[in-house]
Amino acid sequence: NLGALSKPSLLPGPVRRCRLHPCRRQQVPLKMDISSGEDSDISESEMEEYEDKYYEKLKNGNYKIKVSNEKYTCPFCPKKKKQDFLYKDLLQHASGVGKSNSDKRSAREKANHLALFKYLENDLRGTVGSSSSSAAAAAAAEDPLSGCDHDEKIVWPWTGVVVNIPTQKLEDGRSVGGSGSKLRDELIRRGFNPLRVHPLWNYRGHSGTAVVEFRKDWPGLHNALSFEKAYEADHHGKKDWFANNGVKEGLYAWVARADDYKSSTIIGEHLRKIGDLKTVSELMEEEARKQDRLVTNLTNIIETKNKHIQEMEQRCSETSKSLEALMEEKDNLSQAYNE
């Protein structure tokens, strides 16, 4: 139908070509965003091949990743969801999407995010940021509390909440779900270093929720906040879970705070059993008091040891004088005997 071919504007997609008008090939963009839908989805078996394909495209500069010296963007996310990331946040985003078990994530989406993760790890890590960003990264490494609200009440020991865990119903109506160790190992691979994961059970079986325990120190808080930010970057954070925007798929996670602690759900009941609400400022003051007591105790111990040393030095001096007197008396006796 020549009439249909002469109307390139009716063709779908971002590239409109007409066999009768070769000049329209000049409208083909050099760099296509993956969100434009280049072709149909791929199968799971083709993921590795497409991962290598996107990795080569990233190496050749086909996609724009770096926005500024410190900001990066994900070229494979829809334009309406695109946002600026720090390097470590983009790395966690790429890893989270690439290894996601959510049905919302297509095989193609997982493949290109795995390629992005590989590119960030292998090719971009050595060139990240300028001297200012390096200084900021060093400061963040030295101070794991940077960017944290010191007056916000958080459940302590640091605890994460995971919801929407897949479960299956048995014949007797009870639900079963995956083990906590499997989720813990996955979080460890992503660099969050949790101590353990406790799935929450009730009389109906697995509740589809779990709590994640982190270390009680400041690096543990840093890991917990990184865990929260990674799920927020993947649009699977707390706000996304409570948003009324349709069916929820995949895991949603965040750090437990006052509203979770005080809730009447199974999560709130468990949090009240294992922890307490504290602010970072309160913990810092408590730690400072403990350090002051420790310093005071150590000072008292040192003073006591110094007194013991002085007493021993005095005894040694007296014993030495006594020995000198005895030696002199012995010499006089020997001299008298010889005479």
Side-chain angles (χ1 to χ4, degrees), residues 58-59 65-72 87-88 118-134 137:
L58 288 165
K59 289 176 66 175
I65 297 177
K66 195 168 185 179
V67 179
S68 65
N69 287 336
E70 299 181 4
K71 297 293 184 180
Y72 299 81
Y87 172 81
K88 63 176 183 178
K118 184 177 179 182
Y119 175 71
L120 292 171
E121 278 278 286
N122 298 343
D123 301 274
L124 207 61
R125 179 179 288 276
T127 61
V128 173
S130 59
S131 58
S132 59
S133 61
S134 300

Side-chain angles (χ1 to χ4, degrees), residues 1-8 18-21:
N1 189 342
L2 296 179
L5 292 174
S6 63
K7 296 179 180 180
C18 178
R19 295 178 182 176
L20 301 180
H21 297 81

Side-chain angles (χ1 to χ4, degrees), residues 320-338:
S320 178
K321 290 179 180 179
S322 177
L323 285 173
E324 288 178 0
L326 288 172
M327 291 298 295
E328 184 178 356
E329 184 178 354
K330 177 179 176 293
D331 291 340
N332 291 336
L333 289 171
S334 295
Q335 185 177 358
Y337 174 80
N338 291 334

Side-chain angles (χ1 to χ4, degrees), residues 46-332:
E46 296 176 309
M47 280 186 61
E48 186 174 352
E49 177 184 349
Y50 273 78
E51 180 184 341
D52 295 336
K53 173 184 174 182
Y54 289 120
Y55 178 59
E56 290 299 324
K57 287 186 176 182
L58 288 165
K59 289 176 66 175
N60 295 334
N62 289 32
Y63 297 102
K64 182 180 179 182
I65 297 177
K66 195 168 185 179
V67 179
S68 65
N69 287 336
E70 299 181 4
K71 297 293 184 180
Y72 299 81
T73 188
C74 177
F76 302 122
C77 287
K79 290 182 178 179
K80 63 180 181 180
K81 291 186 178 180
K82 282 188 176 179
Q83 54 180 308
D84 292 341
F85 297 89
L86 296 175
Y87 172 81
K88 63 176 183 178
D89 295 333
L90 180 58
L91 193 68
Q92 290 176 351
H93 166 74
S95 173
V97 176
K99 299 175 182 178
S100 173
N101 296 323
S102 172
D103 295 335
K104 282 186 177 181
R105 303 295 184 184
S106 65
R108 176 184 297 280
E109 196 172 2
K110 294 177 184 178
N112 53 45
H113 278 82
L114 286 174
L116 176 60
F117 178 79
K118 184 177 179 182
Y119 175 71
L120 292 171
E121 278 278 286
N122 298 343
D123 301 274
L124 207 61
R125 179 179 288 276
T127 61
V128 173
S130 59
S131 58
S132 59
S133 61
S134 300
E142 293 177 1
D143 182 14
L145 303 180
S146 58
C148 174
D149 185 355
H150 289 196
D151 296 322
E152 183 180 22
K153 287 190 175 294
I154 306 177
V155 175
W156 187 88
W158 319 121
T159 307
V161 176
V162 181
V163 298
N164 209 34
I165 299 174
T167 59
Q168 295 180 347
K169 284 194 173 182
L170 300 177
E171 293 181 358
D172 60 358
R174 290 174 60 84
S175 300
V176 294
S179 66
S181 58
K182 182 178 179 182
L183 179 56
R184 179 201 62 195
D185 294 340
E186 179 183 344
L187 295 175
I188 290 175
R189 284 194 299 270
R190 295 180 63 181
F192 304 130
N193 302 320
L195 292 177
R196 59 188 65 87
V197 175
H198 289 292
L200 302 182
W201 295 70
N202 54 25
Y203 68 95
R204 295 180 180 176
H206 198 299
S207 64
T209 59
V211 294
V212 185
E213 292 184 16
F214 295 92
R215 295 176 63 89
K216 296 181 180 180
D217 51 16
W218 300 125
L221 174 59
H222 177 69
N223 288 328
L225 295 176
S226 299
F227 157 83
E228 180 178 62
K229 289 178 182 178
Y231 278 91
E232 284 180 352
D234 195 24
H235 302 284
H236 278 66
K238 188 173 186 178
K239 291 181 179 179
D240 304 289
W241 172 247
F242 288 104
N244 297 322
N245 54 0
V247 180
K248 303 292 193 301
E249 296 184 4
L251 301 181
Y252 290 74
W254 59 87
V255 172
R257 290 179 169 80
D259 54 344
D260 304 297
Y261 185 86
K262 297 177 181 178
S263 69
S264 59
T265 63
I266 188 173
I267 296 174
E269 293 175 2
H270 183 81
L271 292 176
R272 288 190 291 272
K273 290 179 182 178
I274 65 168
D276 195 5
L277 283 178
K278 293 188 178 182
T279 65
V280 173
S281 299
E282 290 172 351
L283 288 171
M284 292 176 70
E285 291 174 0
E286 184 177 339
E287 187 178 84
R289 286 194 297 269
K290 288 181 179 179
Q291 289 180 349
D292 290 340
R293 286 198 298 268
L294 179 61
V295 170
T296 302
N297 291 337
L298 290 174
T299 302
N300 293 335
I301 291 173
I302 291 172
E303 289 178 355
T304 304
K305 296 293 184 183
N306 287 335
K307 288 180 180 179
H308 289 167
I309 290 174
Q310 291 175 1
E311 291 176 0
M312 292 178 66
E313 287 177 348
Q314 185 176 358
R315 290 178 183 177
C316 287
S317 177
E318 292 174 355
T319 304
S320 178
K321 290 179 180 179
S322 177
L323 285 173
E324 288 178 0
L326 288 172
M327 291 298 295
E328 184 178 356
E329 184 178 354
K330 177 179 176 293
D331 291 340
N332 291 336

